[in-house]
Amino acid sequence: MIETNLHDNVLEIVITNPPVNALGADVRCALAAALADAQTNDAVKAIVIRGAGKIFSGGADITEFDGTMAEPGLPELVNMVEACTKPVVAAIHGSVLGGGLEISLGSHYRIAAPDAELGLPEVLLGIVPGAGGTQRLPRLIGAEAALNMIVSGSPVSATKAEKMGLVDRLATDAASLPGEAIAYARTLDAPRRTGERDATVDPAFFEKFLADNAGKKAYLDAQKGCVEAVRAATELPLDEGLVKEAALFTQLVSGEQSKALRHIFFAERKAAKVDGLPKDTQPRSIARVGVIGAGTMGGGISMNFLSAGIPVTIVETQQEALDRGTGIVRKNYEATAAKGRLTPEQVETAMSLLAPTLDFEALSECDLIIEAVYENMDLKKEIFGRLDTIAKPGAILASNTSFLDIDEMAAATKRPQDVLGLHFFSPANIMKLVEVVRGAQTAPDVLATGMAIARRIGKVPVVSGVCYGFIGNRMLNPRLDGAIDMLVEGATPEQVDRVSTELGLPMGPLQMLDLAGVDIGWHRDPTRIESVRDALNAAGRWGQKAKAGFYDYDERRRPAPSPAAAEIIDGFRAQAGVTPREISAEEIAVRTLYVMVNEGAKILEEDIAQRASDIDVVWNYGYGWPRHKGGPMFWADQMGLDKIVDALRRYADRLGPDFSLSPLLVRCAEQGAPLDK
Ligand code: T1G
């Protein structure tokens, strides 16, 4: 848990708790004992605290928050560090986060390696720093800088930390940090306690901060708590401020938002693991990627690899399409550079890695080939058949399909073991989710490569089995069916979508269909009106791209209720002989959200998704489910599955002839067991 080494008269305490030196109960006990010994050991004139391995510490052990915190708590430990009568130096490198930074703040001096990243990310977990961070950081760097760091949760670099006064000096590098820290400690002869300083601020600062932030969607309970805690640091003595901080921490850590944020923190890490993959599975090396299709998806997919420094051969059938596609890639990079997030040189470097060609055979040099042509199975099978003849042995053949059967595409090759799906979400260069679709014959190392390459390009990969729509899009189907049916029965698009947006989703099912295109899958015969979508399509209301769909759109694509759409919907109701009725928000929730949970439970029982938390990750990163609500499966567990099942049963006659309750969902509801085991 910790090592101690006495270097002449300097005691070095090394936190050793891989993988992130989390400050769990054992570490806290050992650290407290070592500090107490050092206090009474006359041979010790100064103390250095350091972290073993790649980082100083990732902070408190987050898994402890669901139970009772064993003594000594982290706040008490930090107070012990600060109360030491001998100078304590924090020697920090790599991540210095949360409680890790608070240990450093309780220390009297700080020396950092250039790679140190110092932050208080607790707010991202729905809590406030709970071991003195909100009281000591303002006293060290001023309340304004401290509040910005605490409310953003973002780390600062070692050089910036030194400039802010958060770090006293920089070590040459991580390797020389231990020696330089001991030498630095030798020069010190007295403690210097941050807690004895005052936190200064212009009183108007907090009012302005609240005015600038209080209305923002991301301004949640924890952000409010951070402001209260830092304000306390400017108004109260340390001990009273610490009491205030502890009260805020206790209140927030037991709240719904923090539980959801902690759930998704672990969920995205669990999603990276593939159950049952042989331990020694090694991903194949990917030096060059091929992309077939230079449309919106092909271009966006290519950018992910180019930005990670991986060369891409992009293939089209027509020069004009190829030029348009590569032109859009350049335009996207230049737009990012215009915002200062890329340098012109970085744009040129990325573009230099892109090799556009009409020659399909050029793909023979690629280690991973991703087809991103339009959703037509015959075309995809023809492409996989051609790839089978030209791709080099061991090349991985992937489809970006959103819905279609990977096994059918694999069967068009003699190498089904090398085939999988890599389903990117549009815009592919922005959205972080990739559904990694394992076919029946996908080899373990091919699946491992899909997961590894997705992470290498900064994505969040989730494994899916083969079914229509995989995980996310499959759950969209019952939601959209319910939305359309209720529109015909009497609801307005705004009423339907509002239930989703009030939950925190960026848009409801109908606004989403406007975005994707009301005309997707339309038969294009304006005289054939068999659904309300046909009626809208016949009137040219194809969605955002036509500035008209279920909503009207202005030049900035902002939606507004549409009298024209309402008239068309009324006309369709009349033609269908439907008398519109009032539809409650509860019914809309059942027929657009509860049905998604039911579909998610089926996805689980069919082993399409490995875990309920994987489904939550899909919805967070693919569809903007609010992080502080965890994800649809977590949200259902928190609400109570019995409530979900009961409501679905009450509305069963309106859920359509194809609806059936998931046996797993019913079983969990009856047993009081969560979907997320
Ligand atoms: N507690 C428990 N487990 C943790 C953990 C933590 N703080 N941090 C990481 N893990 C696990 C993680 O789930 C994974 O487990 C493994 O360690 C490797 O993590 C009182 C209250 C430090 C930058 O929010 O940001 O201090 O999947 O894959 O990419 O004020 O982990 O292997 O089983 O992320 O090298 C505040 C959270 C806590 C930092 C390393 N601290 N961690 O990234 O590894 S609250 C944080 C991170 C607190 C005090 C408050 C990152 C990292 P498994 P990883 P990485």
Side-chain angles (χ1 to χ4, degrees), residues 66-97:
D66 296 322
T68 46
M69 199 79 83
E71 291 299 321
L74 205 44
E76 290 69 36
L77 182 63
V78 174
N79 292 342
M80 281 179 72
V81 171
E82 187 165 69
C84 269
T85 54
K86 301 173 180 178
V88 180
V89 174
I92 55 184
H93 72 298
S95 296
V96 192
L97 300 173

PDB file of all heavy atoms in Angstrom, residues 66-97:
ATOM      1  N   ASP A  66     -20.226   4.151  -2.278  1.00  0.00           N
ATOM      2  CA  ASP A  66     -21.547   3.514  -2.113  1.00  0.00           C
ATOM      3  C   ASP A  66     -21.712   2.926  -0.721  1.00  0.00           C
ATOM      4  O   ASP A  66     -22.768   2.466  -0.358  1.00  0.00           O
ATOM      5  CB  ASP A  66     -21.729   2.421  -3.171  1.00  0.00           C
ATOM      6  CG  ASP A  66     -21.735   3.027  -4.576  1.00  0.00           C
ATOM      7  OD1 ASP A  66     -22.308   4.125  -4.712  1.00  0.00           O
ATOM      8  OD2 ASP A  66     -21.114   2.466  -5.484  1.00  0.00           O
ATOM      9  N   GLY A  67     -20.597   2.925   0.044  1.00  0.00           N
ATOM     10  CA  GLY A  67     -20.682   2.348   1.400  1.00  0.00           C
ATOM     11  C   GLY A  67     -20.217   3.378   2.429  1.00  0.00           C
ATOM     12  O   GLY A  67     -20.208   4.568   2.138  1.00  0.00           O
ATOM     13  N   THR A  68     -19.857   2.896   3.609  1.00  0.00           N
ATOM     14  CA  THR A  68     -19.360   3.851   4.617  1.00  0.00           C
ATOM     15  C   THR A  68     -17.843   3.947   4.477  1.00  0.00           C
ATOM     16  O   THR A  68     -17.155   2.970   4.211  1.00  0.00           O
ATOM     17  CB  THR A  68     -19.661   3.326   6.048  1.00  0.00           C
ATOM     18  OG1 THR A  68     -19.275   1.950   6.074  1.00  0.00           O
ATOM     19  CG2 THR A  68     -21.122   3.481   6.392  1.00  0.00           C
ATOM     20  N   MET A  69     -17.329   5.162   4.660  1.00  0.00           N
ATOM     21  CA  MET A  69     -15.898   5.427   4.491  1.00  0.00           C
ATOM     22  C   MET A  69     -15.161   5.011   5.766  1.00  0.00           C
ATOM     23  O   MET A  69     -15.446   5.495   6.846  1.00  0.00           O
ATOM     24  CB  MET A  69     -15.733   6.931   4.230  1.00  0.00           C
ATOM     25  CG  MET A  69     -14.437   7.304   3.604  1.00  0.00           C
ATOM     26  SD  MET A  69     -14.456   6.975   1.843  1.00  0.00           S
ATOM     27  CE  MET A  69     -15.262   8.442   1.224  1.00  0.00           C
ATOM     28  N   ALA A  70     -14.217   4.064   5.627  1.00  0.00           N
ATOM     29  CA  ALA A  70     -13.458   3.622   6.811  1.00  0.00           C
ATOM     30  C   ALA A  70     -12.539   4.752   7.282  1.00  0.00           C
ATOM     31  O   ALA A  70     -12.131   5.601   6.507  1.00  0.00           O
ATOM     32  CB  ALA A  70     -12.628   2.403   6.428  1.00  0.00           C
ATOM     33  N   GLU A  71     -12.273   4.744   8.587  1.00  0.00           N
ATOM     34  CA  GLU A  71     -11.336   5.720   9.174  1.00  0.00           C
ATOM     35  C   GLU A  71      -9.908   5.351   8.810  1.00  0.00           C
ATOM     36  O   GLU A  71      -9.625   4.166   8.609  1.00  0.00           O
ATOM     37  CB  GLU A  71     -11.497   5.721  10.711  1.00  0.00           C
ATOM     38  CG  GLU A  71     -12.821   6.294  11.177  1.00  0.00           C
ATOM     39  CD  GLU A  71     -13.009   7.756  10.752  1.00  0.00           C
ATOM     40  OE1 GLU A  71     -12.003   8.490  10.797  1.00  0.00           O
ATOM     41  OE2 GLU A  71     -14.112   8.106  10.318  1.00  0.00           O
ATOM     42  N   PRO A  72      -8.979   6.303   8.679  1.00  0.00           N
ATOM     43  CA  PRO A  72      -9.274   7.728   8.663  1.00  0.00           C
ATOM     44  C   PRO A  72      -9.822   8.138   7.307  1.00  0.00           C
ATOM     45  O   PRO A  72      -9.368   7.622   6.276  1.00  0.00           O
ATOM     46  CB  PRO A  72      -7.906   8.365   8.910  1.00  0.00           C
ATOM     47  CG  PRO A  72      -6.942   7.411   8.297  1.00  0.00           C
ATOM     48  CD  PRO A  72      -7.544   6.039   8.485  1.00  0.00           C
ATOM     49  N   GLY A  73     -10.806   9.041   7.325  1.00  0.00           N
ATOM     50  CA  GLY A  73     -11.335   9.521   6.047  1.00  0.00           C
ATOM     51  C   GLY A  73     -10.273  10.358   5.371  1.00  0.00           C
ATOM     52  O   GLY A  73      -9.283  10.760   6.012  1.00  0.00           O
ATOM     53  N   LEU A  74     -10.459  10.654   4.109  1.00  0.00           N
ATOM     54  CA  LEU A  74      -9.470  11.431   3.379  1.00  0.00           C
ATOM     55  C   LEU A  74      -9.330  12.858   3.937  1.00  0.00           C
ATOM     56  O   LEU A  74      -8.215  13.368   4.094  1.00  0.00           O
ATOM     57  CB  LEU A  74      -9.835  11.446   1.891  1.00  0.00           C
ATOM     58  CG  LEU A  74      -8.713  11.657   0.895  1.00  0.00           C
ATOM     59  CD1 LEU A  74      -7.482  10.829   1.241  1.00  0.00           C
ATOM     60  CD2 LEU A  74      -9.167  11.315  -0.524  1.00  0.00           C
ATOM     61  N   PRO A  75     -10.438  13.497   4.339  1.00  0.00           N
ATOM     62  CA  PRO A  75     -10.285  14.849   4.904  1.00  0.00           C
ATOM     63  C   PRO A  75      -9.374  14.844   6.137  1.00  0.00           C
ATOM     64  O   PRO A  75      -8.491  15.692   6.270  1.00  0.00           O
ATOM     65  CB  PRO A  75     -11.719  15.240   5.279  1.00  0.00           C
ATOM     66  CG  PRO A  75     -12.591  14.379   4.448  1.00  0.00           C
ATOM     67  CD  PRO A  75     -11.848  13.096   4.255  1.00  0.00           C
ATOM     68  N   GLU A  76      -9.593  13.827   6.996  1.00  0.00           N
ATOM     69  CA  GLU A  76      -8.767  13.753   8.210  1.00  0.00           C
ATOM     70  C   GLU A  76      -7.301  13.518   7.837  1.00  0.00           C
ATOM     71  O   GLU A  76      -6.396  14.104   8.416  1.00  0.00           O
ATOM     72  CB  GLU A  76      -9.244  12.612   9.121  1.00  0.00           C
ATOM     73  CG  GLU A  76     -10.588  12.855   9.781  1.00  0.00           C
ATOM     74  CD  GLU A  76     -11.744  12.834   8.770  1.00  0.00           C
ATOM     75  OE1 GLU A  76     -11.657  12.022   7.813  1.00  0.00           O
ATOM     76  OE2 GLU A  76     -12.685  13.654   8.903  1.00  0.00           O
ATOM     77  N   LEU A  77      -7.089  12.679   6.842  1.00  0.00           N
ATOM     78  CA  LEU A  77      -5.706  12.384   6.436  1.00  0.00           C
ATOM     79  C   LEU A  77      -5.020  13.638   5.914  1.00  0.00           C
ATOM     80  O   LEU A  77      -3.874  13.950   6.271  1.00  0.00           O
ATOM     81  CB  LEU A  77      -5.697  11.290   5.372  1.00  0.00           C
ATOM     82  CG  LEU A  77      -4.321  10.856   4.887  1.00  0.00           C
ATOM     83  CD1 LEU A  77      -3.504  10.237   6.028  1.00  0.00           C
ATOM     84  CD2 LEU A  77      -4.429   9.877   3.735  1.00  0.00           C
ATOM     85  N   VAL A  78      -5.730  14.394   5.093  1.00  0.00           N
ATOM     86  CA  VAL A  78      -5.139  15.631   4.560  1.00  0.00           C
ATOM     87  C   VAL A  78      -4.848  16.615   5.690  1.00  0.00           C
ATOM     88  O   VAL A  78      -3.786  17.254   5.729  1.00  0.00           O
ATOM     89  CB  VAL A  78      -6.064  16.266   3.506  1.00  0.00           C
ATOM     90  CG1 VAL A  78      -5.525  17.622   3.055  1.00  0.00           C
ATOM     91  CG2 VAL A  78      -6.224  15.340   2.303  1.00  0.00           C
ATOM     92  N   ASN A  79      -5.737  16.672   6.664  1.00  0.00           N
ATOM     93  CA  ASN A  79      -5.477  17.557   7.814  1.00  0.00           C
ATOM     94  C   ASN A  79      -4.228  17.092   8.572  1.00  0.00           C
ATOM     95  O   ASN A  79      -3.436  17.917   9.047  1.00  0.00           O
ATOM     96  CB  ASN A  79      -6.689  17.558   8.756  1.00  0.00           C
ATOM     97  CG  ASN A  79      -7.898  18.234   8.125  1.00  0.00           C
ATOM     98  OD1 ASN A  79      -7.752  18.992   7.139  1.00  0.00           O
ATOM     99  ND2 ASN A  79      -9.084  17.942   8.629  1.00  0.00           N
ATOM    100  N   MET A  80      -4.048  15.749   8.636  1.00  0.00           N
ATOM    101  CA  MET A  80      -2.844  15.222   9.329  1.00  0.00           C
ATOM    102  C   MET A  80      -1.588  15.653   8.589  1.00  0.00           C
ATOM    103  O   MET A  80      -0.592  16.056   9.196  1.00  0.00           O
ATOM    104  CB  MET A  80      -2.890  13.691   9.353  1.00  0.00           C
ATOM    105  CG  MET A  80      -3.776  13.089  10.401  1.00  0.00           C
ATOM    106  SD  MET A  80      -3.735  11.289  10.245  1.00  0.00           S
ATOM    107  CE  MET A  80      -2.079  10.940  10.861  1.00  0.00           C
ATOM    108  N   VAL A  81      -1.650  15.586   7.259  1.00  0.00           N
ATOM    109  CA  VAL A  81      -0.473  15.985   6.462  1.00  0.00           C
ATOM    110  C   VAL A  81      -0.133  17.447   6.773  1.00  0.00           C
ATOM    111  O   VAL A  81       1.001  17.801   7.076  1.00  0.00           O
ATOM    112  CB  VAL A  81      -0.759  15.806   4.961  1.00  0.00           C
ATOM    113  CG1 VAL A  81       0.356  16.407   4.107  1.00  0.00           C
ATOM    114  CG2 VAL A  81      -0.955  14.325   4.638  1.00  0.00           C
ATOM    115  N   GLU A  82      -1.178  18.279   6.742  1.00  0.00           N
ATOM    116  CA  GLU A  82      -0.932  19.721   6.931  1.00  0.00           C
ATOM    117  C   GLU A  82      -0.464  20.037   8.351  1.00  0.00           C
ATOM    118  O   GLU A  82       0.349  20.926   8.580  1.00  0.00           O
ATOM    119  CB  GLU A  82      -2.212  20.514   6.643  1.00  0.00           C
ATOM    120  CG  GLU A  82      -1.980  22.028   6.666  1.00  0.00           C
ATOM    121  CD  GLU A  82      -3.128  22.802   6.044  1.00  0.00           C
ATOM    122  OE1 GLU A  82      -4.219  22.829   6.650  1.00  0.00           O
ATOM    123  OE2 GLU A  82      -2.939  23.358   4.943  1.00  0.00           O
ATOM    124  N   ALA A  83      -0.935  19.230   9.314  1.00  0.00           N
ATOM    125  CA  ALA A  83      -0.587  19.499  10.724  1.00  0.00           C
ATOM    126  C   ALA A  83       0.826  19.026  11.058  1.00  0.00           C
ATOM    127  O   ALA A  83       1.364  19.349  12.114  1.00  0.00           O
ATOM    128  CB  ALA A  83      -1.591  18.790  11.626  1.00  0.00           C
ATOM    129  N   CYS A  84       1.452  18.290  10.151  1.00  0.00           N
ATOM    130  CA  CYS A  84       2.816  17.802  10.430  1.00  0.00           C
ATOM    131  C   CYS A  84       3.719  18.959  10.887  1.00  0.00           C
ATOM    132  O   CYS A  84       3.664  20.061  10.327  1.00  0.00           O
ATOM    133  CB  CYS A  84       3.433  17.201   9.168  1.00  0.00           C
ATOM    134  SG  CYS A  84       3.104  15.452   9.042  1.00  0.00           S
ATOM    135  N   THR A  85       4.530  18.686  11.869  1.00  0.00           N
ATOM    136  CA  THR A  85       5.418  19.765  12.365  1.00  0.00           C
ATOM    137  C   THR A  85       6.717  19.798  11.569  1.00  0.00           C
ATOM    138  O   THR A  85       7.538  20.675  11.744  1.00  0.00           O
ATOM    139  CB  THR A  85       5.753  19.497  13.852  1.00  0.00           C
ATOM    140  OG1 THR A  85       6.293  18.167  13.930  1.00  0.00           O
ATOM    141  CG2 THR A  85       4.488  19.606  14.702  1.00  0.00           C
ATOM    142  N   LYS A  86       6.886  18.792  10.698  1.00  0.00           N
ATOM    143  CA  LYS A  86       8.092  18.776   9.837  1.00  0.00           C
ATOM    144  C   LYS A  86       7.635  19.088   8.412  1.00  0.00           C
ATOM    145  O   LYS A  86       6.510  18.730   8.030  1.00  0.00           O
ATOM    146  CB  LYS A  86       8.749  17.408   9.907  1.00  0.00           C
ATOM    147  CG  LYS A  86       9.144  17.061  11.340  1.00  0.00           C
ATOM    148  CD  LYS A  86       9.644  15.647  11.517  1.00  0.00           C
ATOM    149  CE  LYS A  86       9.999  15.409  12.984  1.00  0.00           C
ATOM    150  NZ  LYS A  86      10.462  14.022  13.223  1.00  0.00           N
ATOM    151  N   PRO A  87       8.463  19.738   7.619  1.00  0.00           N
ATOM    152  CA  PRO A  87       8.028  20.103   6.270  1.00  0.00           C
ATOM    153  C   PRO A  87       7.690  18.883   5.424  1.00  0.00           C
ATOM    154  O   PRO A  87       8.415  17.888   5.458  1.00  0.00           O
ATOM    155  CB  PRO A  87       9.224  20.845   5.691  1.00  0.00           C
ATOM    156  CG  PRO A  87      10.343  20.705   6.636  1.00  0.00           C
ATOM    157  CD  PRO A  87       9.831  20.197   7.923  1.00  0.00           C
ATOM    158  N   VAL A  88       6.549  18.942   4.751  1.00  0.00           N
ATOM    159  CA  VAL A  88       6.091  17.848   3.887  1.00  0.00           C
ATOM    160  C   VAL A  88       6.093  18.349   2.451  1.00  0.00           C
ATOM    161  O   VAL A  88       5.497  19.383   2.145  1.00  0.00           O
ATOM    162  CB  VAL A  88       4.672  17.378   4.258  1.00  0.00           C
ATOM    163  CG1 VAL A  88       4.242  16.245   3.327  1.00  0.00           C
ATOM    164  CG2 VAL A  88       4.613  16.937   5.717  1.00  0.00           C
ATOM    165  N   VAL A  89       6.785  17.593   1.566  1.00  0.00           N
ATOM    166  CA  VAL A  89       6.845  17.940   0.140  1.00  0.00           C
ATOM    167  C   VAL A  89       6.057  16.902  -0.650  1.00  0.00           C
ATOM    168  O   VAL A  89       6.260  15.702  -0.472  1.00  0.00           O
ATOM    169  CB  VAL A  89       8.301  17.933  -0.354  1.00  0.00           C
ATOM    170  CG1 VAL A  89       8.354  18.137  -1.872  1.00  0.00           C
ATOM    171  CG2 VAL A  89       9.105  18.996   0.376  1.00  0.00           C
ATOM    172  N   ALA A  90       5.148  17.350  -1.493  1.00  0.00           N
ATOM    173  CA  ALA A  90       4.441  16.432  -2.413  1.00  0.00           C
ATOM    174  C   ALA A  90       5.240  16.412  -3.720  1.00  0.00           C
ATOM    175  O   ALA A  90       5.464  17.465  -4.326  1.00  0.00           O
ATOM    176  CB  ALA A  90       3.023  16.913  -2.671  1.00  0.00           C
ATOM    177  N   ALA A  91       5.688  15.229  -4.099  1.00  0.00           N
ATOM    178  CA  ALA A  91       6.446  15.055  -5.352  1.00  0.00           C
ATOM    179  C   ALA A  91       5.487  14.419  -6.351  1.00  0.00           C
ATOM    180  O   ALA A  91       5.172  13.248  -6.254  1.00  0.00           O
ATOM    181  CB  ALA A  91       7.645  14.155  -5.110  1.00  0.00           C
ATOM    182  N   ILE A  92       4.990  15.246  -7.293  1.00  0.00           N
ATOM    183  CA  ILE A  92       3.854  14.773  -8.094  1.00  0.00           C
ATOM    184  C   ILE A  92       4.222  14.620  -9.566  1.00  0.00           C
ATOM    185  O   ILE A  92       5.004  15.376 -10.115  1.00  0.00           O
ATOM    186  CB  ILE A  92       2.659  15.728  -7.938  1.00  0.00           C
ATOM    187  CG1 ILE A  92       3.030  17.162  -8.274  1.00  0.00           C
ATOM    188  CG2 ILE A  92       2.118  15.651  -6.523  1.00  0.00           C
ATOM    189  CD1 ILE A  92       1.888  18.152  -8.038  1.00  0.00           C
ATOM    190  N   HIS A  93       3.617  13.578 -10.182  1.00  0.00           N
ATOM    191  CA  HIS A  93       3.856  13.336 -11.614  1.00  0.00           C
ATOM    192  C   HIS A  93       2.624  12.651 -12.192  1.00  0.00           C
ATOM    193  O   HIS A  93       1.796  12.138 -11.454  1.00  0.00           O
ATOM    194  CB  HIS A  93       5.094  12.456 -11.811  1.00  0.00           C
ATOM    195  CG  HIS A  93       4.875  11.023 -11.411  1.00  0.00           C
ATOM    196  ND1 HIS A  93       4.553  10.642 -10.109  1.00  0.00           N
ATOM    197  CD2 HIS A  93       4.894   9.874 -12.130  1.00  0.00           C
ATOM    198  CE1 HIS A  93       4.431   9.327 -10.050  1.00  0.00           C
ATOM    199  NE2 HIS A  93       4.613   8.824 -11.258  1.00  0.00           N
ATOM    200  N   GLY A  94       2.468  12.714 -13.510  1.00  0.00           N
ATOM    201  CA  GLY A  94       1.296  12.067 -14.125  1.00  0.00           C
ATOM    202  C   GLY A  94       0.026  12.691 -13.552  1.00  0.00           C
ATOM    203  O   GLY A  94      -0.018  13.863 -13.204  1.00  0.00           O
ATOM    204  N   SER A  95      -1.006  11.847 -13.436  1.00  0.00           N
ATOM    205  CA  SER A  95      -2.294  12.372 -12.953  1.00  0.00           C
ATOM    206  C   SER A  95      -2.233  12.640 -11.460  1.00  0.00           C
ATOM    207  O   SER A  95      -1.795  11.799 -10.675  1.00  0.00           O
ATOM    208  CB  SER A  95      -3.392  11.360 -13.250  1.00  0.00           C
ATOM    209  OG  SER A  95      -3.526  11.212 -14.645  1.00  0.00           O
ATOM    210  N   VAL A  96      -2.651  13.832 -11.084  1.00  0.00           N
ATOM    211  CA  VAL A  96      -2.723  14.228  -9.661  1.00  0.00           C
ATOM    212  C   VAL A  96      -4.149  14.735  -9.487  1.00  0.00           C
ATOM    213  O   VAL A  96      -4.425  15.929  -9.665  1.00  0.00           O
ATOM    214  CB  VAL A  96      -1.726  15.359  -9.365  1.00  0.00           C
ATOM    215  CG1 VAL A  96      -1.568  15.570  -7.869  1.00  0.00           C
ATOM    216  CG2 VAL A  96      -0.402  15.104 -10.036  1.00  0.00           C
ATOM    217  N   LEU A  97      -5.067  13.827  -9.220  1.00  0.00           N
ATOM    218  CA  LEU A  97      -6.482  14.173  -9.346  1.00  0.00           C
ATOM    219  C   LEU A  97      -7.254  13.975  -8.053  1.00  0.00           C
ATOM    220  O   LEU A  97      -6.944  13.079  -7.270  1.00  0.00           O
ATOM    221  CB  LEU A  97      -7.126  13.330 -10.451  1.00  0.00           C
ATOM    222  CG  LEU A  97      -6.517  13.491 -11.848  1.00  0.00           C
ATOM    223  CD1 LEU A  97      -7.126  12.497 -12.815  1.00  0.00           C
ATOM    224  CD2 LEU A  97      -6.664  14.908 -12.369  1.00  0.00           C
TER     225      LEU A  97
END
